[in-house]
Amino acid sequence: MSEQQHVEFGWFLPTTGDGEYVGIPPQRPASPEYLTEIAKAAETAGYEFVLIPTGGDCWDGFVVGSWIAAHTSKLKSLVALRPGLITPVLAARNAATLDQMTGGRTMFNVVTGHYPQDLKACGDPLYDQHDARYERTLEFVKVVNLSSWILV
């Protein structure tokens, strides 16, 4: 007999704004009120988490995750992290803190890259080195895993 799996469903928080079409300026800018409205609607609809994106044009995921946790009761935040924008020890520290502050309602998504122009604009020295970014991500995950036990 196989072990039963639980699949979690999530929604997306548009921290860069929202609109009908992708690739054009947002028709509705991001705001604390709008993101709260989306998060509460997702929670009411039965979604278990919201994805908080990362990138040069995105709001900070840890700050947004804290905001969302303060305005919902059970919704989790899936905070995207991008090696090269944050060090692994700081990521582990922020992650452990947010998870403690939210009673375990924090999850993380490690994003290896984005389009090169955004990576370069954010100061990533590996913006044009695909394979090196994946090597850095592997090291990032290892350091975060080692650091996490100290911080919890």
PDB file of all heavy atoms in Angstrom, residues 20 34 49 88 93 107 127:
ATOM      1  N   GLU A  20      -4.225  42.597 -17.018  1.00  0.00           N
ATOM      2  CA  GLU A  20      -4.821  41.616 -17.906  1.00  0.00           C
ATOM      3  C   GLU A  20      -3.782  40.915 -18.784  1.00  0.00           C
ATOM      4  O   GLU A  20      -3.948  39.772 -19.179  1.00  0.00           O
ATOM      5  CB  GLU A  20      -5.862  42.313 -18.788  1.00  0.00           C
ATOM      6  CG  GLU A  20      -6.741  41.386 -19.573  1.00  0.00           C
ATOM      7  CD  GLU A  20      -7.863  42.129 -20.295  1.00  0.00           C
ATOM      8  OE1 GLU A  20      -8.126  43.309 -19.970  1.00  0.00           O
ATOM      9  OE2 GLU A  20      -8.463  41.519 -21.177  1.00  0.00           O
ATOM     10  N   TYR A  34      -3.982  45.888  -1.814  1.00  0.00           N
ATOM     11  CA  TYR A  34      -4.287  44.954  -2.900  1.00  0.00           C
ATOM     12  C   TYR A  34      -3.719  43.565  -2.603  1.00  0.00           C
ATOM     13  O   TYR A  34      -4.401  42.556  -2.790  1.00  0.00           O
ATOM     14  CB  TYR A  34      -3.757  45.497  -4.219  1.00  0.00           C
ATOM     15  CG  TYR A  34      -4.089  44.636  -5.413  1.00  0.00           C
ATOM     16  CD1 TYR A  34      -5.382  44.179  -5.626  1.00  0.00           C
ATOM     17  CD2 TYR A  34      -3.114  44.281  -6.334  1.00  0.00           C
ATOM     18  CE1 TYR A  34      -5.689  43.390  -6.725  1.00  0.00           C
ATOM     19  CE2 TYR A  34      -3.414  43.500  -7.434  1.00  0.00           C
ATOM     20  CZ  TYR A  34      -4.705  43.052  -7.632  1.00  0.00           C
ATOM     21  OH  TYR A  34      -5.009  42.278  -8.710  1.00  0.00           O
ATOM     22  N   PHE A  49      -1.133  28.403   0.197  1.00  0.00           N
ATOM     23  CA  PHE A  49      -0.010  29.337   0.215  1.00  0.00           C
ATOM     24  C   PHE A  49      -0.141  30.341  -0.917  1.00  0.00           C
ATOM     25  O   PHE A  49      -0.939  30.153  -1.843  1.00  0.00           O
ATOM     26  CB  PHE A  49       1.336  28.603   0.112  1.00  0.00           C
ATOM     27  CG  PHE A  49       1.582  27.913  -1.203  1.00  0.00           C
ATOM     28  CD1 PHE A  49       2.180  28.580  -2.259  1.00  0.00           C
ATOM     29  CD2 PHE A  49       1.235  26.580  -1.376  1.00  0.00           C
ATOM     30  CE1 PHE A  49       2.420  27.939  -3.469  1.00  0.00           C
ATOM     31  CE2 PHE A  49       1.463  25.935  -2.582  1.00  0.00           C
ATOM     32  CZ  PHE A  49       2.056  26.615  -3.623  1.00  0.00           C
ATOM     33  N   PRO A  88      23.514  33.132   1.638  1.00  0.00           N
ATOM     34  CA  PRO A  88      22.809  31.987   2.213  1.00  0.00           C
ATOM     35  C   PRO A  88      22.612  32.087   3.727  1.00  0.00           C
ATOM     36  O   PRO A  88      21.561  31.695   4.237  1.00  0.00           O
ATOM     37  CB  PRO A  88      23.683  30.781   1.842  1.00  0.00           C
ATOM     38  CG  PRO A  88      24.961  31.329   1.353  1.00  0.00           C
ATOM     39  CD  PRO A  88      24.741  32.741   0.942  1.00  0.00           C
ATOM     40  N   ARG A  93      18.831  32.952   8.146  1.00  0.00           N
ATOM     41  CA  ARG A  93      18.448  33.726   9.334  1.00  0.00           C
ATOM     42  C   ARG A  93      17.071  34.350   9.148  1.00  0.00           C
ATOM     43  O   ARG A  93      16.206  34.251  10.026  1.00  0.00           O
ATOM     44  CB  ARG A  93      19.500  34.799   9.599  1.00  0.00           C
ATOM     45  CG  ARG A  93      19.246  35.635  10.803  1.00  0.00           C
ATOM     46  CD  ARG A  93      20.386  36.652  10.985  1.00  0.00           C
ATOM     47  NE  ARG A  93      20.120  37.570  12.052  1.00  0.00           N
ATOM     48  CZ  ARG A  93      20.368  37.339  13.333  1.00  0.00           C
ATOM     49  NH1 ARG A  93      20.875  36.181  13.708  1.00  0.00           N
ATOM     50  NH2 ARG A  93      20.089  38.249  14.244  1.00  0.00           N
ATOM     51  N   MET A 107       7.373  29.026   3.725  1.00  0.00           N
ATOM     52  CA  MET A 107       8.030  28.072   2.823  1.00  0.00           C
ATOM     53  C   MET A 107       8.944  28.887   1.913  1.00  0.00           C
ATOM     54  O   MET A 107       8.768  30.098   1.776  1.00  0.00           O
ATOM     55  CB  MET A 107       7.006  27.314   1.983  1.00  0.00           C
ATOM     56  CG  MET A 107       5.976  26.571   2.804  1.00  0.00           C
ATOM     57  SD  MET A 107       4.806  25.556   1.840  1.00  0.00           S
ATOM     58  CE  MET A 107       4.288  26.623   0.533  1.00  0.00           C
ATOM     59  N   TYR A 127      25.455  36.929 -13.939  1.00  0.00           N
ATOM     60  CA  TYR A 127      24.249  37.171 -14.745  1.00  0.00           C
ATOM     61  C   TYR A 127      24.287  36.478 -16.105  1.00  0.00           C
ATOM     62  O   TYR A 127      23.253  36.096 -16.633  1.00  0.00           O
ATOM     63  CB  TYR A 127      24.023  38.677 -14.927  1.00  0.00           C
ATOM     64  CG  TYR A 127      24.986  39.350 -15.870  1.00  0.00           C
ATOM     65  CD1 TYR A 127      24.695  39.488 -17.221  1.00  0.00           C
ATOM     66  CD2 TYR A 127      26.203  39.842 -15.405  1.00  0.00           C
ATOM     67  CE1 TYR A 127      25.579  40.098 -18.084  1.00  0.00           C
ATOM     68  CE2 TYR A 127      27.079  40.455 -16.258  1.00  0.00           C
ATOM     69  CZ  TYR A 127      26.774  40.583 -17.598  1.00  0.00           C
ATOM     70  OH  TYR A 127      27.655  41.186 -18.450  1.00  0.00           O
TER      71      TYR A 127
END
